[in-house]
Amino acid sequence: MSSDASTADLQTIDRAWQTFREKRAVYQQVEDSVVDAVTDECQRKINAGNYDGTAALSVIYEAFVDEHCNPDSEFVTEVLQSDELVVDTIDLGEETIARELFQRLIEQLVEDGQLLYVGTRQEVRTHVAEMARYFALIRQRIRKDAHYSFTPNLVKMVKMASADRKQPIMGREEPEATRFRGPIRKINERVRDESVDGAWELVDAAGPDWRNLVHETMETMSEFFDDGLTEDFDSLAAYQARAFKDLYLDAVTAESEQSRSHVVTASTGGGKTEAFLFPTLAYCLTAEKANISGNKALLTYPRRDLCNNQFERAFDYITELNRLEGALDASFEDAPLTLSIQHSSRRQVTLDCPHCDGELSVPDEYKEKHFECSADSSHTVEYVTVDRAASADVIVTTQNSLHRRMMDNYGREAFWDHPYPTKFLVLDEVHIYTDQAGMNVSNVVRRFKQALRKKASQQSPTLVASSATINNAEDFTRRIFDTKEAVRINPTDEEQDTLSREHFLFVKATDPREVRIPVGDSMYEPSEDWSEVSQSTATNLSCMIQIAFAFFHTMRKERAGDRPGLDDNKDRVLGFVDSIDSVSRLGGYVQEAENDGLYKFRMPDAILGDRGNNPDCPRDLFRGATDDEYEETAVCESMPPNPNVNPCPVYQDGECWWTMRDREMDLEEMTVAIHKSGRTKRAGSEAPAGDDWDQLITTSALEVGFDHASIIGTFQYRAPRNVPGFLQRKGRGGRDARDEPITVVVLGSTPTDSYYFHHSNYLSDPSDKHLEIPLDENNRFIRAEHMTASLLDYFNVTDRVDAQRLFSGTQSATGPDIGYLRQMFEKHRQELSIWLSQTFGDDSDEIEEVLAQFERYLDYLDEEIDDTSEEAYWEFFARMVESGGESALQEIDEQIEKVGDGR
């Protein structure tokens, strides 16, 4: 790089800066590298225990020169040697222009809040590093009349980490992405091959015309891709294109195998849902064109909240496909595609009306199962329903609900009353299925597959799993689906791009202890003479409370429009606690702290006047200073105080959050909400919160599928239960590609907490072994429970048993017909034994034990309720169900007391 000692005038600098900013890709590349260099320098010092650590601009400039000022770099070829600057570069030299642009870039980063000058304009610190400093020095402030020096410190240590955020490359202009017509062309080419046979159900229903139906479907999907998606969805990621082609062909051709499953993996927010949902919907269209009725795809999720979220997404896509088919107002029976949701809280689900700006919901009286618009009652959507018995093309449910549907009359109508059973079975977010949850789900899958074989043994299901955080993907998927092999569909390294960084702050709380804080005149007396004291307990939860509101008030926030492409505010925090009780307590305490204005104790009083929020601000030290921005006498300088230049003891002790100085969004009281049991409400009350919150505290319920565009920060209280789950939680923040989310982990005093603090890299940069999901799919205790349930599956699926009579009895009786159940059990005992063997493996001793236990269960149902009555157990409960009301509950309670008394 050429060298010149000349200086550039302001006009030349402005021209160079404008040119640099217009080279958007180069500018972003240089900006990222400079911020990364500052971040790495601050992180190194913080992790060495120097929370006041800074990065010297001289060091950062050397790194900038090394990376961007060599002759072949894009900064030199596209900026310094561009037509706009070539003359200036020749006159002044590349080094002069580069130095001026570097300095202007630093100033821009400071203005944007990404960097802070510290004391002088020769040192900088990242905003995240400044937060780490505040956290490391945080105290338990409760009272305004108690000097902070007497309040207990709550943090032992703080560690900082940063990591690259990789996302699958998408975008029409990106060579690594795939145009929509690419996979469609390959599908059509494959189907035209005469050596390829169609899936059994398509050939059985449509004969040789199945190929034409595939081509028709691809025409509709082509139109859907072009006109039915949002403008920014203008291409497929390469792995999405492979998933669309491979999963659809697996479904519509005879090349699919009973013993093969698939798993889709990509980063959080990387488009996994579309990867499996687009081919699923395409198959449903093909099957509809072949006049195949009944359910075609079952999408299962581990949480009701995630179920609702994905139901809304499926509704949007199905609505567009029905619109293209000219059937937006079609009935459930006539619509090309239909959709149903099945779980216990499905009544609470709302959807956007496709006809207006209103909101769709199920009528309160619940007599109708379809959705009506709140703005215009004439706007009804009948192709989507909450009817548990509806055999919709796509059913969205939880695994727990599927377990129940396998055994009841709703499931019979939804799944088994049609000649062609479900084709697609999807398990989304399979990393959730660890321990007992995984054992249960693997057995539910076995039962469902056995039922599919019973209905149509020739039909091969397409089995798909999906997860962002799983290492042993193929092996885990093979085991949970009970297949011989599993095929992984995921983006390669070349198909991903590093778009930004994410940051982690690990906070180790002090050990719990009792503290005495002097107030009033006692603050000026020796501790043994304190007469006025405030008693307090410094706990791990105390640390989390202080960190929770410090996090919100000191993190860097952005408003829509602050940078190119930013359409949403980035100003909310989502917190996770692994205890329902702790959710309520933490939320209530944080909201109470906000109501008491505790954050104001650290508010900088930057301008002299009547604010006086920080009771400890040493105003007298700075009355001679002048603020550069406001050009008037100020309490403190316009840069964070520096112990060697403009010392401030309160800032040095961490009791002045200087970054709140002139940011109105940090000075406002935040609204805290909690989410549990499927409801979001104001912390400390029963009032619904809706979307009116700044910080939302929840359990694992929102670990997956909660995609709020404004969340930029997440926190975890105490050690996470597992690493994959933690990665899902921190993935809720920073959903846009250029976001730089912050995750705070507050760890307490338990051995597990200490372990994770000292091995924090397991959370910020996990290795493959930390992402392995354990699964004991053959656990004999869990299997025994499902073997018993599988007996009811058999009665529900087979045509040789009147399942309706089993569930509802005869016209003259209410409730299950236990006599008929016993009769059918005895008649089909041999078939039941074979059924269990095919489902769970040939263990004759275990099967016989299950059958014997079921027979004893039937005997118990026939026993008399007590010595004074000839009424059988099953008759008693059938009568209670029929009568209902408080009297029935009271009678049941009385019987329970009798049992408890030994009667």
Side-chain angles (χ1 to χ4, degrees):
M1 181 174 179
S2 61
S3 177
D4 197 308
S6 302
T7 58
D9 58 57
L10 183 60
Q11 185 177 5
T12 301
I13 297 173
D14 288 343
R15 182 168 55 251
W17 178 249
Q18 181 178 354
T19 301
F20 185 27
R21 292 296 296 267
E22 290 174 351
K23 307 290 185 180
R24 190 64 201 168
V26 180
Y27 177 86
Q28 198 66 66
Q29 183 184 64
V30 175
E31 180 188 83
D32 289 346
S33 69
V34 168
V35 174
D36 288 351
V38 177
T39 299
D40 291 342
E41 185 70 8
C42 292
Q43 177 179 310
R44 181 180 64 81
K45 294 181 178 179
I46 287 172
N47 292 342
N50 178 11
Y51 303 123
D52 285 306
T54 62
L57 284 182
S58 58
V59 173
I60 305 304
Y61 178 69
E62 290 178 4
F64 160 76
V65 170
D66 289 344
E67 184 171 353
H68 297 291
C69 293
N70 57 75
D72 297 327
S73 71
E74 293 182 347
F75 175 71
V76 170
T77 59
E78 296 189 26
V79 178
L80 300 184
Q81 296 178 0
S82 64
D83 293 341
E84 297 87 346
L85 294 184
V86 64
V87 175
D88 296 325
T89 301
I90 292 173
D91 290 344
L92 300 173
E94 291 180 355
E95 183 176 342
T96 298
I97 301 296
R99 184 175 61 249
E100 296 291 351
L101 289 178
F102 172 81
Q103 186 59 47
R104 182 69 69 90
L105 175 60
I106 295 295
E107 292 171 359
Q108 183 65 53
L109 290 170
V110 171
E111 182 179 336
D112 293 343
Q114 296 190 62
L115 301 182
L116 304 170
Y117 284 123
V118 184
T120 70
R121 295 183 183 274
Q122 303 305 313
E123 297 173 283
V124 290
R125 179 184 294 147
T126 65
H127 194 108
V128 178
E130 181 78 352
M131 289 177 63
R133 184 182 177 280
Y134 297 152
F135 292 176
L137 300 172
I138 207 161
R139 294 171 176 267
Q140 186 176 12
R141 299 295 299 275
I142 300 176
R143 301 171 58 123
K144 194 170 186 177
D145 58 351
H147 194 270
Y148 74 81
S149 61
F150 294 103
T151 59
N153 291 97
L154 297 175
V155 173
K156 277 186 178 180
M157 291 179 287
V158 171
K159 294 168 70 175
M160 178 179 169
S162 297
D164 291 336
R165 298 178 72 213
K166 290 188 175 183
Q167 289 286 348
I169 299 173
M170 298 181 67
R172 187 179 292 271
E173 304 303 323
E174 300 291 342
E176 295 85 357
T178 302
R179 297 290 184 92
F180 293 129
R181 299 191 183 280
I184 291 177
R185 183 180 64 254
K186 292 178 180 179
I187 289 171
N188 283 329
E189 290 174 353
R190 184 63 179 159
V191 170
R192 276 196 294 267
D193 187 342
E194 293 296 329
S195 66
V196 175
D197 295 325
W200 169 80
E201 70 277 6
L202 291 180
V203 175
D204 189 63
D209 198 40
W210 74 272
R211 299 180 195 275
N212 295 330
L213 301 184
V214 169
H215 296 319
E216 290 177 18
T217 301
M218 289 301 101
E219 290 178 2
T220 301
M221 294 303 298
S222 178
E223 190 175 356
F224 168 73
F225 288 145
D226 290 339
D227 302 326
L229 301 178
T230 57
E231 292 183 1
D232 57 344
F233 204 156
D234 61 358
S235 71
L236 294 171
Y239 90 97
Q240 289 177 321
R242 287 195 298 274
F244 182 76
K245 174 180 70 70
D246 293 348
L247 294 179
Y248 180 75
L249 287 176
D250 183 87
V252 300
T253 68
E255 296 178 340
S256 62
E257 297 180 7
Q258 288 275 8
S259 196
R260 181 172 64 202
S261 53
H262 302 79
V263 56
V264 178
T265 63
S267 56
T268 301
K272 296 183 299 299
T273 295
E274 285 71 21
F276 66 74
L277 188 55
F278 287 167
T280 300
L281 296 179
Y283 172 81
C284 291
L285 273 178
T286 306
E288 187 274 335
K289 294 177 185 297
N291 295 318
I292 292 177
S293 60
N295 173 248
K296 303 168 185 67
L298 182 61
L299 312 182
T300 68
Y301 300 91
R303 306 271 192 268
R304 286 179 297 180
D305 295 287
L306 177 58
C307 205
N308 297 347
N309 175 276
Q310 298 301 291
F311 175 69
E312 294 169 13
R313 189 181 300 194
F315 169 73
D316 290 340
Y317 291 139
I318 284 176
T319 294
E320 288 304 314
L321 287 166
N322 282 343
R323 189 195 304 273
L324 292 173
E325 295 284 298
L328 194 58
D329 298 316
S331 66
F332 186 85
E333 292 73 22
D334 297 331
L337 292 179
T338 56
L339 176 66
S340 171
I341 186 169
Q342 296 185 12
H343 63 66
S344 58
S345 300
R346 64 196 184 285
R347 301 187 191 190
Q348 304 170 9
V349 175
T350 59
L351 301 167
D352 293 333
C353 180
H355 303 284
C356 68
D357 294 331
E359 187 176 79
L360 297 170
S361 62
V362 178
D364 292 337
E365 62 272 18
Y366 209 53
K367 293 179 180 178
E368 298 292 343
K369 304 300 192 299
H370 59 257
F371 284 72
E372 294 182 2
C373 179
S374 58
D376 188 335
S377 59
S378 67
H379 293 168
T380 61
V381 176
E382 297 188 10
Y383 55 81
V384 56
T385 180
V386 295
D387 185 357
R388 288 175 292 181
S391 57
D393 294 307
V394 178
I395 293 178
V396 179
T397 189
T398 63
Q399 281 82 17
N400 287 337
S401 293
L402 176 60
H403 166 64
R404 292 191 294 271
R405 293 296 85 80
M406 291 284 294
M407 301 180 290
D408 65 21
N409 55 324
Y410 300 116
R412 180 178 179 86
E413 294 181 51
F415 298 117
W416 314 125
D417 280 350
H418 299 271
Y420 305 105
T422 304
K423 181 72 174 186
F424 271 83
L425 175 61
V426 176
L427 303 180
D428 197 11
E429 304 295 356
V430 291
H431 77 276
I432 297 289
Y433 304 131
T434 61
D435 303 322
Q436 188 168 332
M439 302 174 202
N440 279 305
V441 171
S442 64
N443 281 282
V444 170
V445 168
R446 282 162 172 73
R447 290 164 50 199
F448 195 76
K449 287 176 59 182
Q450 174 63 11
L452 294 179
R453 286 191 293 265
K454 179 67 175 180
K455 288 301 297 183
S457 60
Q458 306 95 322
Q459 180 173 310
S460 297
T462 298
L463 309 171
V464 186
S466 169
S467 180
T469 52
I470 184 171
N471 174 48
N472 53 332
E474 292 94 334
D475 180 63
F476 183 86
T477 302
R478 176 187 60 79
R479 291 165 61 192
I480 203 164
F481 277 124
D482 192 26
T483 56
K484 291 182 179 178
E485 65 170 330
V487 179
R488 187 177 185 181
I489 305 173
N490 64 300
T492 64
D493 290 340
E494 294 75 20
E495 295 167 354
Q496 300 181 92
D497 194 12
T498 300
L499 300 178
S500 64
R501 264 189 163 189
E502 56 187 343
H503 307 284
F504 302 84
L505 293 176
F506 299 96
V507 178
K508 183 68 170 68
T510 55
D511 294 330
R513 63 199 186 280
E514 299 290 333
V515 293
R516 299 169 67 237
I517 303 173
V519 296
D521 292 338
S522 292
M523 288 189 293
Y524 309 104
E525 300 173 348
S527 59
E528 61 268 19
D529 296 332
W530 288 349
S531 59
E532 297 180 73
V533 296
S534 173
Q535 295 284 354
S536 181
T537 304
T539 65
N540 294 163
L541 186 61
S542 303
C543 179
M544 184 67 256
I545 294 167
Q546 298 286 329
I547 294 294
F549 72 79
F551 188 7
F552 174 79
H553 288 295
T554 65
M555 72 179 187
R556 178 172 175 258
K557 305 178 182 71
E558 294 180 283
R559 293 293 190 225
D562 282 356
R563 52 181 163 87
L566 183 59
D567 298 324
D568 300 285
N569 296 339
K570 301 294 178 179
D571 57 359
R572 302 200 194 194
V573 174
L574 179 63
F576 290 97
V577 183
D578 286 317
S579 163
I580 292 180
D581 178 61
S582 295
V583 168
S584 299
R585 287 196 297 142
L586 178 58
Y589 287 143
V590 175
Q591 187 63 72
E592 182 181 353
E594 285 295 295
N595 296 342
D596 292 343
L598 296 191
Y599 71 94
K600 296 181 180 179
F601 292 1
R602 283 87 167 208
M603 182 184 293
D605 292 332
I607 304 300
L608 286 175
D610 298 328
R611 283 171 60 180
N613 291 299
N614 190 326
D616 304 304
C617 182
R619 296 168 179 78
D620 293 340
L621 294 179
F622 301 104
R623 290 189 182 279
T626 300
D627 184 271
D628 294 341
E629 181 176 351
Y630 295 96
E631 297 183 353
E632 58 180 286
T633 303
V635 172
C636 54
E637 300 285 351
S638 60
M639 292 185 291
N642 181 292
N644 302 314
V645 181
N646 55 335
C648 172
V650 177
Y651 174 80
Q652 290 307 123
D653 290 342
E655 288 303 310
C656 173
W657 293 340
W658 189 91
T659 50
M660 292 170 56
R661 168 177 179 277
D662 56 0
R663 295 173 62 88
E664 292 184 5
M665 63 185 80
D666 291 333
L667 304 180
E668 300 172 352
E669 181 179 312
M670 72 170 167
T671 299
V672 183
I674 63 172
H675 180 94
K676 62 178 185 177
S677 302
R679 296 179 56 213
T680 299
K681 58 185 181 180
R682 296 289 184 92
S685 79
E686 293 299 317
D691 196 45
D692 182 19
W693 54 268
D694 300 300
Q695 186 171 104
L696 178 62
I697 302 174
T698 183
T699 61
S700 58
L702 299 185
E703 180 179 299
V704 289
F706 184 64
D707 302 332
H708 198 297
S710 292
I711 295 174
I712 196 63
T714 59
F715 70 73
Q716 165 78 36
Y717 177 47
R718 308 301 290 266
R721 291 178 177 175
N722 57 65
V723 175
F726 171 79
L727 297 187
Q728 286 287 351
R729 294 179 178 191
K730 61 94 174 173
R732 298 305 103 202
R735 304 294 291 181
D736 291 344
R738 293 299 308 173
D739 289 347
E740 292 206 3
I742 305 172
T743 296
V744 176
V745 183
V746 176
L747 296 165
S749 307
T750 68
T752 304
D753 284 0
S754 297
Y755 178 85
Y756 269 108
F757 183 80
H758 293 294
H759 299 85
S760 58
N761 59 299
Y762 292 175
L763 302 178
S764 60
D765 185 24
S767 64
D768 288 346
K769 69 177 182 179
H770 300 125
L771 298 179
E772 292 183 359
I773 308 296
L775 178 65
D776 181 12
E777 70 273 26
N778 293 318
N779 181 283
R780 64 190 182 93
F781 301 104
I782 301 296
R783 184 176 60 198
E785 296 178 8
H786 284 275
M787 291 176 77
T788 302
S790 184
L791 300 178
L792 297 179
D793 297 347
Y794 172 84
F795 295 133
N796 212 15
V797 173
T798 181
D799 295 330
R800 301 170 62 192
V801 175
D802 185 353
Q804 186 66 28
R805 181 178 175 184
L806 285 180
F807 298 127
S808 304
T810 61
Q811 292 182 350
S812 60
T814 301
D817 188 333
I818 301 301
Y820 181 67
L821 175 58
R822 176 184 292 279
Q823 178 184 346
M824 290 299 100
F825 173 75
E826 293 173 353
K827 179 178 180 180
H828 296 280
R829 184 162 185 152
Q830 183 61 36
E831 291 93 331
L832 288 168
S833 178
I834 296 172
W835 174 273
L836 293 179
S837 176
Q838 292 173 341
T839 307
F840 300 98
D842 188 11
D843 187 333
S844 56
D845 291 340
E846 187 176 23
I847 290 172
E848 283 305 311
E849 176 63 22
V850 168
L851 293 173
Q853 289 285 0
F854 191 81
E855 188 172 21
R856 282 195 288 271
Y857 167 71
L858 294 176
D859 292 338
Y860 293 146
L861 289 177
D862 269 337
E863 287 188 0
E864 296 175 354
I865 190 70
D866 58 43
D867 296 337
T868 63
S869 171
E870 296 182 357
E871 188 177 32
Y873 271 100
W874 73 267
E875 293 173 328
F876 168 75
F877 281 104
R879 181 166 58 83
M880 292 301 99
V881 171
E882 184 177 11
S883 61
E886 291 294 328
S887 61
L889 294 176
Q890 183 177 353
E891 190 169 349
I892 291 174
D893 289 339
E894 291 174 358
Q895 292 298 332
I896 292 175
E897 289 181 9
K898 289 181 180 180
V899 173
D901 292 338
R903 286 182 287 169

